[in-house]
Amino acid sequence: MMNFEAITIKDIATALSLSVSTVSKALSDSHEISEKTKKIVTEYAEKHNYRPNPIAKSLKQGNSKSIGIVVSTIDNQFFSQVINGIESVAYSKGYNVIITQTHESFELEALNIKHLTYRSVDGILISLSTETSDVEHLKSLHKKGLPIVFFDRITDEIDTHKVIADNFNGAFEGTQHLLNSGYKRIAHITSSPNISITRERLNGYAKALEQAGIEFNEDYVKYCMHGGRDIDEVKNAMNDLLAMDKRPDAIFTTSDRITTTTLLLLQKMKIRIPDEMALLGFSNTQLADALNPPLSTIYQPGFEIGKNAIEMLISIIESKNPITEFETRALPTQLFIRDSSSPVKKRSS
Amino acid sequence: MMNFEAITIKDIATALSLSVSTVSKALSDSHEISEKTKKIVTEYAEKHNYRPNPIAKSLKQGNSKSIGIVVSTIDNQFFSQVINGIESVAYSKGYNVIITQTHESFELEALNIKHLTYRSVDGILISLSTETSDVEHLKSLHKKGLPIVFFDRITDEIDTHKVIADNFNGAFEGTQHLLNSGYKRIAHITSSPNISITRERLNGYAKALEQAGIEFNEDYVKYCMHGGRDIDEVKNAMNDLLAMDKRPDAIFTTSDRITTTTLLLLQKMKIRIPDEMALLGFSNTQLADALNPPLSTIYQPGFEIGKNAIEMLISIIESKNPITEFETRALPTQLFIRDSSSPVKKRSS
DNA sequence: GGAAGTGATAAAAACGTTACGCAAAATATG
DNA sequence: CATATTTTGCGTAACGTTTTTATCACTTCC
């Protein structure tokens, strides 16, 4: 049932009364085989549409030509763009990808990684789940020689290639934009403090405040432990903020889900954007322009992140000698200013 | 480098001074092996965390425990939900999935399918590209015994299991809703006539008009040959409609991309929705409520479609005797009425 | 007490490749 | 012309499984 054209090297060998080894070498264009024989073999192979069985090849060569991807969920503009970038490269280099989802669960993440190694992938591309603070499960695999490249949500504890958006700068510029637009009390609804992007973005946010001479107020920062997976996380954050004495006049959000959920909640509460509350957030949605109001966003180059990550991973996999110099690439974000962060109008505050 | 725990049956055999065959049989709980030996073997295997090498197994058994998915693009709410559904089942049944994208190109579709067979997938789940009118490439594979299940965009020419949303009814109800809301001249911007969903939805649309005693007007139907992949497709359709003598007062769109692009264009042209033009379309976006105005949508059960499709595919793959009775499941859509199709106000028309 | 049966294990072949080590033929060298 | 060298091809083992067939030591039976 396997391959549906199912002609093997053996078939070619018997048909041409050659040995399997000769055919194999002829097909791989070995110098040990005469041009004449090579021609006969390749022509026959061509004619009968011979395809080497990738599974036999894998078994023999000890690689699977497949790589594992671990993301929180595929149902997310950012991650699907990343995967798009990964596939664009992987496919052309003869790798296929196995996608797994953590749904922001540490347990699922560990399980997925285990499954991927059972599947004997040649390497792993991973963006950690919000629940993950301990990376022992990855560390031990990495030590045993499994190539790993981190993207988006990375860890300091494992020394390998990493690709991220320039979260610090993205957050910095975004916050600065809000400040320049006249907002004074900027809240920050963000993801779990476990993950790197949360820290990086928080730092960018804090830096912008500092530079503007505004004191950082911990009460203005709200964490969603599952990155907004559950709507109540965002709701609670919002309610806390709205109940404050000095209610914020702008919210800066991280992650697609948190950003859009915040928008939905503000609308539902009939809080006018941006008059009562400005909104700016990380998001890769193509619908930003069509939202009410058009949403100011910080866009991450998802496709490029994926492309870089897979290229780095393949370079590790295919490198002859072990790599010792590792790189962390930070790709620039883009700030799209739309109506949800329009300059503050003169009004009694 | 393969598996990183890399203990094989052979290792167990030598360690316990048994033969490989005995170990293999003991692990598969064969009656030929004594309980005592079985226990020794399984305990040793457990302790040393033995995992059978899936590649060797595949080679021997002639299956790959992987299935191929072909969709137009992963970067689309509907398809990512479908894939989510597929993965949820596939993973638990020991299959992994290889995702490929056609980007609405016939050529890429054929290429992807070829690659998937080279990868010797055990079966294929496919939603045809908008360019595809000829399915010979699939037909021949299917004849040779490759299990295929179609979803979303299906074909009559191949007799196998299929899963779709109930497009006819979805379109029928949607159009009926527009009619009930007082709209008289309902245009329809849809995808390529090549694909099944276009016909099914057109029929639903036409039926609703007929039932309301409104004549079907071919000029009100505009096709986007690549399902709105290129923004100009939609723009041209819109311009044609707006230039008509009897300009439509509502647009009914198919597919996520066409729906959202239409919304964006209407906004850009400052055409008030729904006052000047109502809008209702197929879309799985979670942001419908947050759009301007909140967008009336017909939602397809993407996750369920994926789940059904993979279940059917696995049933074909694992069935002992060839299947002759095939089924086409149509899963109900859901109509979400929001502001973009509010009832017509009394006004001079 | 030898044939036949049974239970437990081992050996060998196979899946489709690749690669190492040889052997035979062709060619070069002195 | 004998010997070395290269060219070209073949045989075989190996990757880690599963499966078919063989082996061996006991029982059991008439």
Side-chain angles (χ1 to χ4, degrees):
Chain A
M1 272 262 206
M2 285 256 55
N3 209 317
F4 295 86
E5 316 284 68
I7 157 171
T8 75
I9 273 190
K10 212 159 139 191
D11 298 329
I12 302 183
T14 46
L16 302 176
S17 42
L18 288 169
S19 78
V20 265
S21 51
T22 307
V23 175
S24 170
K25 289 196 168 171
L27 288 171
S28 58
D29 200 26
S30 158
H31 65 276
E32 299 178 54
I33 305 296
S34 72
E35 289 305 324
K36 207 181 77 194
T37 316
K38 273 186 202 168
K39 202 175 160 209
I40 296 173
V41 172
T42 48
E43 273 173 6
Y44 187 93
E46 182 83 16
K47 190 175 156 210
H48 291 76
N49 196 26
Y50 166 77
R51 296 291 151 182
N53 180 325
I55 294 176
K57 215 166 173 174
S58 285
L59 179 60
K60 182 68 190 162
Q61 313 202 127
N63 63 18
S64 64
K65 281 286 179 178
S66 68
I67 64 115
I69 302 181
V70 183
V71 294
S72 61
T73 170
I74 194 187
D75 182 10
N76 170 302
Q77 295 283 318
F78 172 67
F79 286 120
S80 58
Q81 285 166 21
V82 172
I83 291 171
N84 235 317
I86 294 173
E87 295 227 313
S88 74
V89 173
Y91 226 52
S92 71
K93 299 226 178 182
Y95 289 82
N96 62 3
V97 304
I98 303 174
I99 300 166
T100 67
Q101 310 184 61
T102 66
H103 299 291
E104 307 294 9
S105 146
F106 174 74
E107 210 177 329
L108 259 175
E109 176 178 297
L111 193 64
N112 284 336
I113 291 168
K114 216 160 73 178
H115 281 324
L116 287 174
T117 61
Y118 295 166
R119 277 280 177 189
S120 43
V121 291
D122 295 342
I124 284 183
L125 288 174
I126 182 170
S127 166
L128 297 167
S129 93
T130 44
E131 279 184 4
T132 304
S133 53
D134 176 13
V135 292
E136 270 315 313
H137 56 310
L138 280 163
K139 221 182 216 166
S140 65
L141 284 171
H142 186 244
K143 264 196 201 126
K144 281 183 198 143
L146 177 68
I148 300 178
V149 167
F150 289 89
F151 68 93
D152 184 45
R153 302 152 174 202
I154 65 180
T155 174
D156 289 337
E157 295 187 39
I158 297 178
D159 201 25
T160 182
H161 288 320
K162 292 158 199 171
V163 193
I164 54 174
D166 190 343
N167 291 302
F168 176 86
N169 250 302
F172 177 77
E173 286 171 11
T175 310
Q176 208 169 42
H177 157 70
L178 286 172
L179 291 165
N180 291 343
S181 302
Y183 299 97
K184 305 283 185 209
R185 296 182 305 282
I186 302 172
H188 184 34
I189 305 181
T190 186
S191 195
S192 155
N194 283 332
I195 58 178
S196 58
I197 53 174
T198 299
R199 295 188 294 274
E200 293 159 7
R201 293 171 187 178
L202 183 63
N203 289 343
Y205 159 82
K207 177 78 177 181
L209 293 183
E210 185 196 320
Q211 222 174 68
I214 296 182
E215 204 181 347
F216 176 85
N217 181 350
E218 181 66 55
D219 294 342
Y220 278 162
V221 180
K222 298 294 171 197
Y223 298 93
C224 299
M225 295 312 284
H226 292 102
R229 182 189 67 187
D230 314 315
I231 193 165
D232 280 342
E233 296 182 306
V234 185
K235 208 178 261 175
N236 291 339
M238 281 280 298
N239 287 338
D240 286 357
L241 289 173
L242 294 176
M244 288 178 74
D245 276 350
K246 289 206 157 190
R247 195 204 247 208
D249 57 2
I251 303 180
F252 166 51
T253 53
T254 61
S255 102
D256 243 301
R257 186 113 346 150
I258 294 176
T259 301
T260 53
T261 305
T262 302
L263 175 62
L264 279 162
L265 289 173
L266 286 171
Q267 287 181 353
K268 214 180 211 168
M269 297 175 176
K270 306 234 185 282
I271 295 177
R272 282 171 296 122
I273 310 170
D275 295 345
E276 292 178 82
M277 185 77 78
L279 180 58
L280 163 69
F282 277 82
S283 172
N284 276 32
T285 181
Q286 293 150 337
L287 292 176
D289 263 319
L291 293 167
N292 181 23
L295 182 65
S296 298
T297 55
I298 299 166
Y299 177 88
Q300 304 182 73
F303 188 89
E304 290 300 320
I305 290 176
K307 235 178 111 179
N308 276 270
I310 183 72
E311 277 166 358
M312 286 165 136
L313 184 65
I314 292 180
S315 85
I316 299 179
I317 292 172
E318 297 186 348
S319 145
K320 296 290 165 200
N321 20 8
I323 299 181
T324 51
E325 283 298 301
F326 293 108
E327 182 187 354
T328 297
R329 284 189 203 156
L331 274 48
T333 58
Q334 267 180 286
L335 176 62
F336 290 98
I337 299 174
R338 299 192 184 86
D339 297 355
S340 72
S341 62
S342 295
V344 175
K345 290 177 205 143
K346 288 278 175 286
R347 67 185 138 153
S348 55
S349 62
Chain B
M1 271 265 205
M2 285 256 54
N3 210 316
F4 295 85
E5 317 284 69
I7 157 172
T8 75
I9 274 190
K10 211 157 137 193
D11 298 330
I12 302 182
T14 47
L16 302 176
S17 40
L18 288 168
S19 78
V20 268
S21 53
T22 307
V23 175
S24 171
K25 288 182 176 174
L27 288 171
S28 57
D29 200 26
S30 158
H31 65 276
E32 300 176 57
I33 306 296
S34 72
E35 289 305 322
K36 208 182 74 192
T37 315
K38 273 187 202 168
K39 202 175 161 210
I40 296 173
V41 171
T42 48
E43 273 174 5
Y44 187 93
E46 182 83 17
K47 191 176 155 211
H48 291 76
N49 195 27
Y50 165 77
R51 296 289 152 185
N53 180 324
I55 294 176
K57 216 167 171 173
S58 285
L59 179 60
K60 183 66 194 168
Q61 313 202 127
N63 63 18
S64 63
K65 281 286 181 179
S66 67
I67 64 116
I69 302 182
V70 182
V71 295
S72 61
T73 171
I74 193 188
D75 182 10
N76 170 302
Q77 295 284 315
F78 172 66
F79 286 120
S80 58
Q81 284 165 23
V82 171
I83 291 171
N84 235 318
I86 294 172
E87 295 228 314
S88 74
V89 174
Y91 225 51
S92 71
K93 298 225 177 180
Y95 289 82
N96 62 5
V97 304
I98 302 175
I99 300 166
T100 66
Q101 311 184 62
T102 67
H103 298 292
E104 308 292 10
S105 146
F106 174 73
E107 210 177 330
L108 259 175
E109 176 179 296
L111 193 65
N112 284 335
I113 291 168
K114 215 159 74 175
H115 280 323
L116 287 173
T117 61
Y118 294 165
R119 276 280 177 190
S120 44
V121 292
D122 295 343
I124 284 183
L125 288 174
I126 182 169
S127 165
L128 296 168
S129 92
T130 43
E131 280 185 2
T132 305
S133 53
D134 176 13
V135 292
E136 269 316 312
H137 56 311
L138 280 162
K139 221 182 215 167
S140 66
L141 283 171
H142 186 242
K143 264 196 201 125
K144 282 185 198 142
L146 177 69
I148 300 179
V149 167
F150 289 90
F151 67 93
D152 184 44
R153 303 153 174 200
I154 64 180
T155 174
D156 289 338
E157 296 186 40
I158 297 177
D159 201 26
T160 181
H161 288 320
K162 292 158 198 170
V163 193
I164 54 174
D166 190 342
N167 291 302
F168 177 87
N169 250 302
F172 177 77
E173 286 171 11
T175 309
Q176 208 169 43
H177 157 68
L178 286 173
L179 290 165
N180 291 342
S181 301
Y183 299 96
K184 304 284 184 209
R185 298 183 302 283
I186 302 172
H188 183 33
I189 305 181
T190 186
S191 197
S192 156
N194 283 332
I195 58 179
S196 59
I197 53 175
T198 299
R199 295 188 294 274
E200 293 159 8
R201 291 171 188 178
L202 183 64
N203 290 343
Y205 160 80
K207 177 79 176 179
L209 292 183
E210 184 195 321
Q211 220 174 69
I214 295 182
E215 202 180 349
F216 176 85
N217 181 349
E218 182 66 56
D219 295 341
Y220 277 163
V221 180
K222 298 293 170 195
Y223 298 93
C224 299
M225 295 312 284
H226 291 103
R229 181 190 69 185
D230 313 315
I231 193 166
D232 281 342
E233 296 182 306
V234 185
K235 208 178 261 175
N236 292 340
M238 281 280 298
N239 287 338
D240 286 357
L241 290 173
L242 294 177
M244 288 177 74
D245 276 351
K246 288 205 157 193
R247 195 202 245 208
D249 57 2
I251 302 180
F252 166 50
T253 53
T254 61
S255 103
D256 241 301
R257 186 111 349 147
I258 294 176
T259 302
T260 53
T261 305
T262 302
L263 175 62
L264 279 163
L265 289 173
L266 286 171
Q267 287 181 354
K268 215 180 210 166
M269 296 177 177
K270 306 233 185 284
I271 295 177
R272 281 171 297 124
I273 311 170
D275 295 344
E276 293 178 81
M277 185 77 78
L279 180 58
L280 162 69
F282 277 81
S283 172
N284 275 33
T285 181
Q286 293 149 337
L287 292 176
D289 263 319
L291 293 167
N292 180 24
L295 182 66
S296 297
T297 55
I298 299 166
Y299 177 88
Q300 304 182 72
F303 188 90
E304 291 300 320
I305 289 176
K307 237 178 110 178
N308 276 270
I310 182 73
E311 277 167 359
M312 286 166 137
L313 184 66
I314 291 179
S315 85
I316 299 180
I317 292 172
E318 297 186 348
S319 146
K320 297 288 167 201
N321 18 8
I323 299 180
T324 51
E325 283 297 301
F326 293 108
E327 183 187 354
T328 297
R329 285 189 202 156
L331 275 48
T333 58
Q334 266 180 287
L335 176 63
F336 289 99
I337 299 173
R338 299 193 183 86
D339 297 355
S340 73
S341 62
S342 295
V344 174
K345 291 178 204 139
K346 288 279 176 287
R347 67 185 148 184
S348 55
S349 64

